[in-house]
Amino acid sequence: MQGVGFRPFIYVLAEKFNLKGWVENRNDGVLIKINSEKKTAENFIKEIKKQAPLASSVKEIKIEKTGYETFPDFKIKKSESNSDAVTEVSPDIAVCDACLEDMKSQKHRINYPFTNCTNCGPRFTIIKDLPYDREKTTMSEFAMCDTCKSEYTDIYNRRFHAQPVACNNCGPHYTLYYKCNFYKKIDDILEVVAYLTEEGKIIAVKGLGGYHLMCDAHNEEAVLNLRKIKNRESKAFAVMVKNIETAGKYAELSAEEKTELSSWQRPILLLKSKKQLAHPVTNGLSNAGIMLPYMPFHHLIFEKLKTDAVVLTSGNLTDEPIITSNEEAFKTFEDKADAIITYNRKIHNRTDDSVAMLVNKKLRLLRRSRGFAPSPVITDFNTEGIFAAGSEFVNCFCIGKGNQAIFSQHIGDLKNSETFNFYKESYELYKRLFRFKPKIIVADMHPDYLSSKFAEDLHRKFPESRLVKVQHHYAHIVSCMAEHGLNEKIIGIAFDGVGLGDDGNIWGGEFFINDLSGYERFSHFEYIKVAGGDKVSKEPWRSAVSYLFHYFGEEFFEKSDFFRSKIETNQVQNYIRLLKNNFNTYKISSAGRLFDAVSSLLDIVQISGYHAEAPMCLESIIAENITDSYGFDVSDFISFKKTFTGIIQDIKNDINISVISAKFHNTIVNVILKMSEVMKEKTGIGKVVLSGGTFQNKYLLTKTENLLSEKGFKVFSQEKIPSNDGGIALGQLIIGANI
Ligand code: ZN
Ligand code: ZN
Ligand code: FE
């Protein structure tokens, strides 16, 4: 990986072993040539494996014997763009402890908020091209001062060849804009930030990969104002806390969660909330998204702030990409935020904060961006020239290089035109960075996805390329298989909201027997008729009425006043009329809509304020230690008639909705077990692969993994690649590599 201090590390190590030769950064990796005894070389390699810098990922070391050569010394050769093959671009790395200390002790870096070294600092967000050198980053505008230069050129210095090296005298600077005043001194800026935050003001702050909006996470009014600015009524906000000890004040933390929260990637972790933050931060959800400071500036502000927790949410208007340019930030936030903090180094590549959670002690990425992109996934296949366009929602795309799958950062929902532009720009960037030329283009079968349309356009531009359309849920399953290196027949279980099926219906509760060359749809959730196009996923009550109408007919609504308190009777009647007349209806087997229906029946969410709100809120209220469940039937498909009968009975008996939610979730776990057993009996296959957005449900995934393992299945679920549509591109890519 470029830009993580690997070459100087090799240099110093070579010197320790008294080796002569050279090290060179190439597009396809690092090449080291030494003249040495076999034993010394072996020890040298052992040390490389043991001591390599934190963020460098040594995947493999190949050793070759060449003709005899002598060298006068050990050298770091200047990087050359000498190959079409490509090495990795480092993701951005959270500021390291040594740099934080330098900010207190080095004269030229006292409180300098752009302090970095070879072990930390910005990378991907500032890179314009490869190989990774200062001229090819947005640091090129800043000429190093003599002090920085002497550090940069001193092999024993921690800043040797640290491309973004900078100090108070030569590097970029922050500016705070408040009430027509510009504050330029860091101490003044920090003071004003502390004052404004305490006053409940909202500040737009330029981060590493884009702007954030910030306010005190204890100030209810401030948080509500922030919701107004972002036009975001209900979705939870992420919170940055002062340090790991503070995190424990706000959330329950396991040892593994502590480790991941403090990792150099510094993701937002979804943690069990202790409900100490202002209510509108999470609106009562059981989980809170917590992260630790990762830029020097974050550390500096927490030194001055009275509060130890701030909301730090992406600086964008709902559904648009996070803002990166200073001009755009002023245009958008000047009237909306109380102050704007900016700096004069450009963000070249937009990245959002990554989001993750731990399930069964393993990190599960829900949004893969800062700290992770563009690190590749190593596959067992030749992926060269494959472009996987991804899905429509929470899109990431993927390009193949060598045997790598290089994921884009989180792009977003393509329907928004700004986001689709971001998608197109990012493709251009990846194409250039990784010297990419498409040979196989893979897209979702859905003809209306903008990613699929983009793929078709690309195919027209490269007529010699091959265009492949892949079924959505099959891509989900293969994505998970690729993560675990599976290349055999497995049981694939994909649960999500929507994906176009082979029969033209909307799928989403799917049981496959598949390998990498194809799949058989073994079974699925029973088809239910819904009406209203896009409104179906936004208005969970529609799914509820659909299920009730399907299982109990129109009489159910005549006899019971079930929806009277929730949704107006005539709205329900109109909807039933649509279903009866087949007006704008379609069939779904979607797990997402099933969860929606139950959430609506329990009157938790009738109209969604954001994607998957209904299932998330349903999960959030689950009562602990409930083992009961509802019935269901398995024939050619899975029928939930008994499930709904049970739920309705429980509602009539005034059973607490938390208990009903737990029983419903347990039912789904039982469905998975039952189907796995049926499929195993038929095929002898004991490996179960789980994917799809529904498996971002912590309760469901934990219970499913545990129960299946208990019953002797080998269970595979997604970890480094999201199980939602953000991970689908990996599956597409691998399917493309196997045709
Ligand atoms: Zn550092
Ligand atoms: Zn300097
Ligand atoms: Fe999906």
Side-chain angles (χ1 to χ4, degrees), residues 20 106 125 197 207 394 681 697:
K20 303 214 157 73
Q106 282 190 344
T125 48
T197 308
V394 293
E681 207 179 285
N697 182 315

Coordinates of all heavy atoms in Angstrom, one line a residue, residues 20 106 125 197 207 394 681 697:
K20 N 22.5 -4.6 1.6 CA 22.7 -3.6 0.6 C 21.7 -3.9 -0.6 O 21.5 -5.1 -0.9 CB 24.1 -3.6 0.1 CG 25.1 -3.3 1.3 CD 26.3 -2.5 0.8 CE 26.9 -1.8 2.0 NZ 27.7 -2.7 2.9
Q106 N 6.5 20.1 19.9 CA 7.3 20.6 18.8 C 7.0 22.1 18.5 O 5.8 22.4 18.3 CB 7.1 19.8 17.5 CG 7.8 18.5 17.5 CD 7.7 17.8 16.1 OE1 6.9 18.2 15.3 NE2 8.5 16.8 15.9
T125 N -8.3 10.9 0.5 CA -9.1 12.1 0.3 C -8.3 13.2 -0.4 O -8.9 14.1 -1.0 CB -9.6 12.7 1.7 OG1 -8.5 12.7 2.6 CG2 -10.7 11.8 2.3
T197 N -20.7 26.4 20.8 CA -21.2 25.1 21.1 C -22.0 25.2 22.4 O -23.1 24.6 22.6 CB -20.1 24.0 21.2 OG1 -19.3 24.1 20.0 CG2 -20.7 22.6 21.3
G207 N -14.3 18.5 7.5 CA -13.7 17.3 8.0 C -12.6 16.8 7.0 O -12.1 17.6 6.2
V394 N -27.8 3.0 -1.5 CA -26.5 2.9 -0.8 C -25.4 2.4 -1.7 O -24.7 1.5 -1.3 CB -26.6 2.2 0.5 CG1 -27.4 2.9 1.5 CG2 -27.1 0.8 0.4
E681 N -31.3 -31.6 4.0 CA -31.7 -32.9 3.8 C -31.8 -33.3 2.3 O -31.5 -34.4 1.9 CB -33.1 -33.0 4.5 CG -33.5 -34.4 4.9 CD -34.8 -34.5 5.6 OE1 -34.9 -34.0 6.7 OE2 -35.8 -34.9 4.9
N697 N -29.7 -6.4 10.9 CA -30.5 -6.5 12.2 C -29.7 -7.3 13.1 O -29.4 -8.5 12.9 CB -31.8 -7.2 11.8 CG -32.8 -7.3 13.0 OD1 -32.3 -7.7 14.1 ND2 -34.0 -7.0 12.8

